[in-house]
Structure formats: C-alpha cells, structure tokens
Amino acid sequence: MEQMEEKQPYDVIVIGAGAAGMMAAGTAARSGYKVLLLEKMEKSGRKVRISGKGRCNVTNARPAEEFSSQVRTNAEFLKPAFAEFDNRSTFRFFERQGVKLDVERGDRVFPRSGKAWDIANALLDYCVANGVKICYDTRVTEILTLGKKVFGVRYINKRGFSRKEECANVILATGGVSYPATGSTGDGYTFAADLGHTIEPLRPSLTPLVSSHPQVKFIDKLLLRNVRAMLYIDNEPFREEFGEIGFSSRGIDGAVALRLSRDAVDALIDERKVKLVLDLKPALTEEMLRDRIAREIAEMDTKEFFGELLRKLLPMPLVMPMARELDIHSKDYISRITDEQITRLIRTLKGWTLPITDYAPFEYAVVTAGGVRCDEVDPKTMQSLKIEGLYFAGEVLDLDANTGGYNLQIAFSTGHLAGMLKK
C-alpha cells in the first residue's frame, strides 16, 4: 500500500500582507524558507494601493543621515534595518520587479506610471514568484507559544472554521490602526501584548488638524502653496514647516499640517494649548509687504473696494474670510481704509493664527504613532527579546516618520530584515 506523503511544515508564517508583510514573506521565501502568508482581507496591499493619493510615495532618496532625521520615533533602532535594506535597495528592488521609479520634488520617489497598484502588485509578484503560499480572508486569532518559544498560530479560514498551523517562526506585520477599512485594526498590538510585550500609547500621526477658527469652514478645498507655518504649544514656538497647507472637511491638512500634526496631537492629548500661525507671504518682510500694498492701492481707483485689494494679495476663496477676519467689509471703498487697518492686514498676512482644538481620527491618519516598544525587539534581527521565533515588521512597531516616503521605507527595511530570520 502506497504511503501518503507527510505534509511539510512551514518554516515561517507571516501575519499581514501589507508592505512590510509581503517584503518579509518574499525575502524569507527567496532565502529558501517555506512561507505561509495569512491576510484577513480579500486582497493584499490594500493600504499600499491607496497610498500617496493613489500614486504611492515609495521611499525618499535622501542620504542616510538626512533620512534618519525624518524618523520621529526610535530612529537609532531603525538604523541596522536601513543599513541592510536602504532607500537605494528599495529603488533597485522595484526596478528589478519591472516598476520604473522617478525622483520628484523633495526627493520623494514615485512609480513612473503614477499608479500605487504597480507597487502593490510588484510586492505580490515577489511573493508568488518565490513560492509563498498566500491565504486571504483568513483571520489569525492567536500566536501559539510553548514556554518562551513560538510554535504556531490559530486562525479562522474563509469558511469560518478554526484551524491551527504549527511553525517555529512568526513574523507579525499587521500594521497599525490608521485607515482601518484597509484591514489595519490593531490586531497585532493585542497579539504582542498577550505575549508580554509593552505597547506604547497609540495615536494618529500625519493626520489633519481641527481648528475652532470661525473662518476655516468657508475655505473647504483651498490649497495654499509656499506657506510658512509655526506650531505653538502653550504660546511658545515649537516647530516650523514650509510648504503646502490645505483645508477640507477633515480639517487642516497638506504636507505642512501633517508634518506638524505629530507634535500637535501629543500636545492636545496632554491638554496643552496648541495653535498654528501661518505666514501667507513668507518671501516678504512686513516692510516689503507694506510697500507692495501701497503700490497696489496707488494703482487702484478710489471707488474700488477693499475686497479687490485682497484679491491682489490672496487666492479668491480666502478674500471674504480674510475680510471677516479683519472686520473690514469687502465693499468698503479702498480710499476709506486707514493706516491702522493696513497694519492689521499686514500682521494677519504674516501671522494668521488658527487655534487647534482637535485632530482627525485614525480613519484619516496616514500612520499610527506608538506600538510595540522597540527596546523589546532586537534591532539587528527584528526578533522579539521576549519570545523566541517572534519577529516584528512595519507599523506595528513604535516607529513613525514624517510624510515623504519615509514610512513605507520603514516597512520595507524592517520587513526585509525580519524575513532574513536571523537568530
């Protein structure tokens, strides 16, 4: 009688088919390991596919030290993973996968096609080509341990049955809690905490900021370029950014606000006073701006309105809100505008103050701040210092960075290192 072939056990199970999980799974399989990748959603890379407004800012081309300066939390912890698989490695990886990349303003790197799907599909192809077994609609419910060693996972398959798969290595790459509709619902934090890991408090990062300023509601969809913004905490200047700032129903967003949101959110949680002060004319001093306004007024008819002066200085959607801010009617004759009112206009253009009272929830945050404490993970391997055979990759760790491609690079670097299964 012919003997039935015994099922060969997996060498590693990866939980989560996002950027970090697919990089980890593909890397492990390419190294010769038998890999099972479990994803609770119906497809891989859901968050990657919508990142960068559908374009996917893959990485940032800045040199290592400049790159490190953009990592807001545990930058030192990241360095071994980044040294093993840096932004140049990411560039080469995707080009080998057939995705051409371009470096754009701010050293941000995007697929030449402008399609985030190309990045997600390249990661998936990397897994498939190297023999990774992928199971979708499969929700892990528990990481199994014996003593202080991993020995498998328990999961519910797409048919709703509970199953167990034994394995000596598990890579936890479940993401954070931002954009929960993509599957990032914080499962990994629960698994890690159940196994004795400390979870640093979770809060939204790179998220819109909410202002109580009465004029903000009138400038929905307005995008301002070349603005200087100073974040004040308890009336003290804390951090400055320059670039684009936008306004929407979600709050104040755009690259400038998102970069400042990390500190603003922490301050608001601590019940501190937060405000944004915007310099709408950063290229001009107050004196230069006064001269510019004087020239504009000199060229205007005395029967023209104050609103027409504002139109020469500001985008149209901001004209009426600014007139209300200054308490000057937009149809007041320009000839009746006083020197005191001009001074008030200049000071507002150079320092429009927006009180920040709240922040948008995780549904709108680009990344999650907080997560598994990095001092409980070996930075040279991504293996847990508490549980042998347990590895971490990506946003589940207490690692986050500014907008500009840095967070995806963190996922690729930590995913690649975890997938090497160094002991």
Side-chain angles (χ1 to χ4, degrees):
M1 184 175 177
E2 186 179 345
Q3 277 191 325
M4 290 185 64
E5 185 180 345
E6 190 175 336
K7 179 184 173 186
Q8 182 185 352
Y10 290 99
D11 299 306
V12 56
I13 295 173
V14 181
I15 308 174
M22 285 192 285
M23 179 61 78
T27 300
R30 191 166 183 266
S31 300
Y33 295 106
K34 189 179 182 189
V35 181
L36 174 63
L37 175 57
L38 302 178
E39 168 56 48
K40 71 177 182 180
M41 304 301 283
E42 79 287 353
K43 67 174 66 169
S44 62
R46 290 271 313 251
K47 192 173 178 183
V48 174
R49 294 173 195 274
I50 63 169
S51 67
K53 297 178 180 176
R55 293 184 64 219
C56 190
N57 187 179
V58 183
T59 186
N60 193 286
R62 289 186 178 184
E65 283 309 308
E66 289 184 36
F67 189 102
S68 183
S69 71
Q70 299 298 311
V71 180
R72 301 300 307 279
T73 315
N74 296 309
E76 284 297 316
F77 173 86
L78 179 66
K79 284 184 176 179
F82 187 78
E84 190 77 47
F85 193 88
D86 62 9
N87 44 9
R88 290 170 297 180
S89 304
T90 295
F91 209 104
R92 289 192 298 268
F93 172 85
F94 283 106
E95 297 239 313
R96 281 199 303 267
Q97 291 295 118
V99 181
K100 297 294 184 184
L101 303 177
D102 286 327
V103 181
E104 300 185 8
R105 183 169 50 89
D107 290 320
R108 296 175 302 163
V109 179
F110 290 89
R112 186 169 297 170
S113 65
K115 297 176 181 177
W117 280 66
D118 289 347
I119 298 300
N121 289 339
L123 288 164
L124 179 59
D125 290 346
Y126 179 56
C127 291
V128 173
N130 285 292
V132 175
K133 171 69 181 297
I134 308 174
C135 293
Y136 298 109
D137 295 306
T138 301
R139 183 170 62 86
V140 174
T141 57
E142 185 183 3
I143 297 175
L144 304 171
T145 57
L146 191 59
K148 293 294 182 180
K149 290 184 179 181
V150 164
F151 81 90
V153 303
R154 196 177 300 280
Y155 61 90
I156 297 174
N157 65 18
K158 62 167 58 179
R159 295 180 178 178
F161 296 112
S162 180
R163 294 286 185 265
K164 181 178 77 171
E165 188 71 48
E166 294 189 4
C167 184
N169 300 287
V170 169
I171 300 175
L172 193 54
T174 46
V177 288
S178 57
Y179 291 126
T182 64
S184 299
T185 53
D187 303 351
Y189 303 125
T190 302
F191 298 145
D194 287 346
L195 296 175
H197 275 276
T198 308
I199 309 301
E200 289 295 324
L202 308 177
R203 58 262 191 228
S205 186
L206 305 183
T207 195
L209 297 172
V210 177
S211 176
S212 60
H213 195 291
Q215 302 309 323
V216 166
K217 64 175 178 269
F218 298 110
I219 51 177
D220 184 27
K221 297 183 175 62
L222 175 65
L223 178 66
L224 299 173
R225 293 184 170 85
N226 302 318
V227 171
R228 181 173 290 116
M230 178 66 77
L231 178 70
Y232 282 77
I233 297 177
D234 290 338
N235 291 318
E236 294 292 328
F238 188 84
R239 189 164 162 227
E240 184 181 285
E241 289 285 348
F242 180 86
E244 294 182 349
I245 196 159
F247 300 85
S248 72
S249 58
R250 295 185 297 272
I252 305 170
D253 51 28
V256 163
L258 295 186
R259 289 197 294 266
L260 292 172
S261 70
R262 178 69 163 75
D263 297 308
V265 168
D266 285 349
L268 288 167
I269 289 171
D270 291 339
E271 298 185 345
R272 300 171 73 183
K273 186 177 179 182
V274 179
K275 64 183 178 182
L276 274 184
V277 177
L278 305 184
D279 184 348
L280 303 177
K281 298 291 179 183
L284 303 176
T285 64
E286 285 196 10
E287 201 53 47
M288 292 166 67
L289 187 53
R290 187 179 296 277
D291 291 344
R292 158 89 184 276
I293 291 171
R295 288 196 303 273
E296 297 287 1
I297 291 174
E299 293 173 4
M300 294 174 71
D301 188 281
T302 56
K303 295 299 184 182
E304 288 190 81
F305 299 135
F306 177 64
E308 293 168 68
L309 171 63
L310 290 181
R311 183 65 189 92
K312 295 173 185 292
L313 300 169
L314 295 166
M316 188 64 198
L318 198 51
V319 168
M320 292 301 291
M322 186 58 67
R324 287 190 290 264
E325 170 80 5
L326 297 166
D327 197 23
I328 304 172
H329 200 286
S330 64
K331 292 193 180 298
D332 280 357
Y333 290 126
I334 196 69
S335 58
R336 295 180 180 175
I337 301 302
T338 66
D339 287 343
E340 186 275 332
Q341 288 173 318
I342 294 298
T343 297
R344 191 146 36 99
L345 168 61
I346 291 167
R347 288 178 178 168
T348 304
L349 291 174
K350 295 292 291 178
W352 191 28
T353 301
L354 303 175
I356 303 300
T357 52
D358 203 354
Y359 50 88
F362 283 111
E363 283 80 0
Y364 303 112
V366 177
V367 295
T368 305
V372 175
R373 277 187 61 154
C374 289
D375 61 2
E376 297 176 357
V377 179
D378 185 345
K380 295 178 181 176
T381 64
M382 293 295 123
Q383 185 174 201
S384 165
L385 294 173
K386 293 175 173 286
I387 303 292
E388 185 180 336
L390 176 64
Y391 295 79
F392 297 97
E395 202 176 345
V396 71
L397 288 160
D398 184 20
L399 274 174
D400 66 284
N402 285 330
T403 182
Y406 304 100
N407 289 288
L408 263 180
Q409 182 61 53
I410 288 172
F412 298 141
S413 295
T414 57
H416 186 273
L417 185 55
M420 294 172 72
L421 295 182
K422 290 182 179 179
K423 295 295 184 181

